[in-house]
Amino acid sequence: MTDTAPDQTDIDPGDITGDEPEVETLPLDAWHRRMGGRMVSFAGYDMPIQYSGEAVGHGGGIVAEHEWTRNSASLFDVSHMGQLGLVGPDGDVAAAAVALEALVPGNVTALKPGRMRYSLLLNEDGGILDDLIITNTGKSIGIVVNGAVKWDDIAHLREHLPDEITLTHYAENALIALQGPKAGEALATLVPDAAELTFMTAGQFEWAGIPLWISRAGYTGEDGFEIAIPGEHTEKLADALVADERVEPAGLGARDSLRLEAGLPLYGHDLTTEIDPVSADLTFALTKSRRESGGWMGHAPNASRLADGTPTRRVGLVLEGRMSAREGAEVFADINGTDTQVGEVTSGGFSPTLGHPIAMAYVAADHAELGTELQIAVRNKRLPARIAPMPFVAHRYYRGKDAK
Amino acid sequence: MSRYFTEEHEWIDVEGDSATVGITDYAQEQLGDIVFVEVPDSGTMLDKGGDAAVVESVKAASDVYSPVSGEVTEGNDALEEDPALVNTSPEEEGWFFKLTLSDKDELQGLMNGKAYAAYVDGLD
């Protein structure tokens, strides 16, 4: 995604073998361990799920990290995600945008340099291969994809993009996310100009002679940044960030509970190839003009779904008490006196901010109205649940000084 | 009073025919922040190794097994109000339930403190 990475791999059309590399260590691996990170295997990497010990000022743990993110700023390592870049012949960015539009439903050609957009990689049936962020970096079309499916994404892109489009995987770059209401002021002490970015804009910056590609984005619902940096410099930046008393490290556990509260779907759980954007309530990612014009993979089946609706829909559920409904739990309704399964939970857990459990589920469209009372089967119990608006916790993105 | 441990990270304090059961400090550390605990009602008959309680962290739910067979005499109601007691005081105030042993011989397969410490060392 940055145009400055020292080590990068251009993926030629003939390179794709489908083989995944061995389990790898991230650039911040030693740093996580030094900070008391408890490492777990995730998406082919050892990743911190949470931190503990003296290195973390708030005492550590998922709840502390979650609350710190909502109130101050947390540093997440998201280097497992794939950073890709596309250019056409002679560095032609417009040609890359046109080519990518054949594979995604979003308007890529309209993106001005420094602008970003959430989009989806779809298969022929309109099922979701991945959700991703597309950026016009000015020099390329940058894409950030999910770690667990990045090799599949690369293979899919390389298979379907014209040969003259160069696909580069910035495999040696790290990606760190600084998230929370104090992220802006904390980052400004190191990179003053970056604080002027607004939500879903990005640019090239420099810190201590190190090139940084910084975007004002994230997946916690809070204001914040994602910073792409050459791997070998990442520890130095991470140290400088957590030296700020406003910043503490946070792991995958808090990232998951934050994104759930923010109503953001997680690929592999709330989104899969069996799920389409209309069922997933992601129609905002189907750019209006392109719904009619078509010209993207999966258009026809999704145009039908837009017109006719889908049998199921992704909804938010709030539960009483403290017992959580987790992925796979069955959702029931009373239909004419008969206890009937109408859906399934795709992710759920306890909301530290709200103090009660929340969940995302796919439920039958005629039971998807806000306020609908349902039941979720958990072990031998039925937990009352009600369909609630998402996000469960309001987003607090920074849209500029004058914007609300 | 004697304290025994299981490979599933439960502890059991035994005094005569009565016992108190909880999860170990190691277990709560692995689970992380505990947000919900379900303990058995008085009168519940438990089998050795059978489901006895449920403990949930932010991330996951885990079953707690009974180290021995017996009849529950009391569940720890304090955990309903304050599940985090399991994190702050796992081997004292954060106990899960008390029971009357139906077969004291079942204690023989359990570990003592020293054996459990060695067992946990071998897990990391």
Side-chain angles (χ1 to χ4, degrees), chain A residues 66-286:
Chain A
H66 182 111
E67 288 173 351
W68 191 265
T69 313
R70 290 267 180 255
N71 296 312
S72 190
S74 293
L75 176 64
F76 297 84
D77 184 1
V78 288
S79 301
H80 62 302
M81 298 206 290
Q83 301 177 55
L84 313 177
L86 300 177
V87 286
D90 305 317
D92 186 346
V93 178
V98 169
L100 184 59
E101 277 197 350
L103 300 178
V104 300
N107 196 337
V108 184
T109 52
L111 279 181
K112 295 187 176 74
R115 298 280 166 172
M116 316 160 63
R117 171 161 286 172
Y118 176 86
S119 196
L120 300 163
L121 206 57
L122 302 175
N123 63 23
E124 297 279 4
D125 301 327
I128 301 171
L129 294 167
D130 199 3
D131 61 339
L132 38 78
I133 296 283
I134 299 171
T135 307
N136 182 338
T137 72
K139 293 179 181 171
S140 68
I141 296 296
I143 312 175
V144 176
V145 301
N146 278 297
V149 288
K150 69 182 169 190
W151 300 104
D152 292 337
D153 288 356
I154 288 169
H156 177 83
L157 289 165
R158 194 59 281 170
E159 182 184 349
H160 294 284
L161 288 170
D163 287 357
E164 68 265 25
I165 303 295
T166 303
L167 168 61
T168 305
H169 179 204
Y170 298 96
E172 302 301 319
N173 267 12
L175 189 67
I176 58 178
L178 186 67
Q179 301 281 298
K182 295 182 182 173
E185 49 191 82
L187 184 59
T189 63
L190 302 182
V191 192
D193 295 346
E196 289 170 23
L197 292 170
T198 55
F199 183 55
M200 296 301 269
T201 67
Q204 182 77 58
F205 298 87
E206 193 182 282
W207 169 70
I210 301 164
L212 307 174
W213 177 264
I214 302 179
S215 56
R216 198 147 197 166
Y219 219 58
T220 61
E222 294 296 330
D223 180 27
F225 303 85
E226 289 188 348
I227 306 167
I229 176 171
E232 72 269 29
H233 299 302
T234 317
E235 245 191 84
K236 186 176 165 188
L237 178 61
D239 277 336
L241 285 168
V242 298
D244 189 312
E245 63 182 14
R246 290 166 290 208
V247 180
E248 294 284 350
L252 289 177
R255 189 172 166 82
D256 191 51
S257 53
L258 289 158
R259 71 90 200 164
L260 180 61
E261 286 184 350
L264 302 170
L266 182 63
Y267 197 81
H269 301 267
D270 310 300
L271 307 178
T272 70
T273 51
E274 304 302 313
I275 290 169
D276 63 86
V278 182
S279 303
D281 198 23
L282 297 177
T283 51
F284 76 91
L286 312 178

Side-chain angles (χ1 to χ4, degrees), chain A residues 38 49-50 52 61-64 253 256-257 322-324 326 349-350 379 381, chain B residues 29-36 38 54 56-61 63 80 83:
Chain A
R38 177 183 297 162
I49 189 152
Q50 65 181 76
S52 61
I62 292 173
V63 172
D256 191 51
S257 53
R322 297 182 72 91
M323 192 192 285
S324 295
R326 315 233 176 226
F350 189 80
R379 290 182 289 277
K381 286 200 165 61
Chain B
E29 173 72 27
Q30 292 296 311
L31 286 166
D33 300 307
I34 288 164
V35 294
F36 174 78
E38 184 182 54
V54 174
E56 288 195 9
S57 66
V58 180
K59 284 299 292 171
D63 291 319
E80 193 172 328

Side-chain angles (χ1 to χ4, degrees), chain B residues 5-84:
Chain B
F5 296 86
T6 70
E7 290 185 359
E8 284 76 37
H9 308 289
E10 289 98 14
W11 56 262
I12 173 167
D13 280 345
V14 180
E15 196 154 18
D17 285 341
S18 303
T20 305
V21 176
I23 66 169
T24 64
D25 187 49
Y26 175 86
Q28 71 79 21
E29 173 72 27
Q30 292 296 311
L31 286 166
D33 300 307
I34 288 164
V35 294
F36 174 78
V37 180
E38 184 182 54
V39 297
D41 295 329
S42 299
T44 307
M45 296 302 300
L46 298 175
D47 294 327
K48 178 181 166 73
D51 290 348
V54 174
V55 57
E56 288 195 9
S57 66
V58 180
K59 284 299 292 171
S62 308
D63 291 319
V64 175
Y65 308 108
S66 187
V68 292
S69 307
E71 180 176 354
V72 176
T73 54
E74 187 184 357
N76 187 356
D77 293 336
L79 297 182
E80 193 172 328
E81 286 296 306
D82 186 10

Side-chain angles (χ1 to χ4, degrees), chain A residues 263-265 270 279-282 312-316 360-363 390:
Chain A
L264 302 170
D270 310 300
S279 303
D281 198 23
L282 297 177
T312 63
R313 267 181 36 206
R314 180 172 65 96
V315 297
M360 286 183 198
Y362 282 83
V363 302
M390 290 193 286

Side-chain angles (χ1 to χ4, degrees), chain A residues 327-403:
Chain A
E327 185 172 1
E330 296 175 343
V331 182
F332 288 85
D334 183 322
I335 299 178
N336 302 324
T338 307
D339 189 37
T340 310
Q341 189 187 347
V342 294
E344 185 175 322
V345 170
T346 49
S347 54
F350 189 80
S351 163
T353 305
L354 301 173
H356 59 72
I358 55 176
M360 286 183 198
Y362 282 83
V363 302
D366 53 355
H367 287 80
E369 288 300 308
L370 288 180
T372 303
E373 305 278 350
L374 299 168
Q375 293 192 323
I376 308 179
V378 177
R379 290 182 289 277
N380 299 318
K381 286 200 165 61
R382 288 300 182 91
L383 308 181
R386 183 171 43 80
I387 295 185
M390 290 193 286
F392 299 104
V393 173
H395 296 161
R396 296 195 290 182
Y397 304 132
Y398 179 72
R399 297 180 192 274
K401 279 198 198 78
D402 302 324

Side-chain angles (χ1 to χ4, degrees), chain A residues 8 22 31 196 336 403:
Chain A
Q8 57 196 43
E22 300 285 307
W31 187 87
E196 289 170 23
N336 302 324

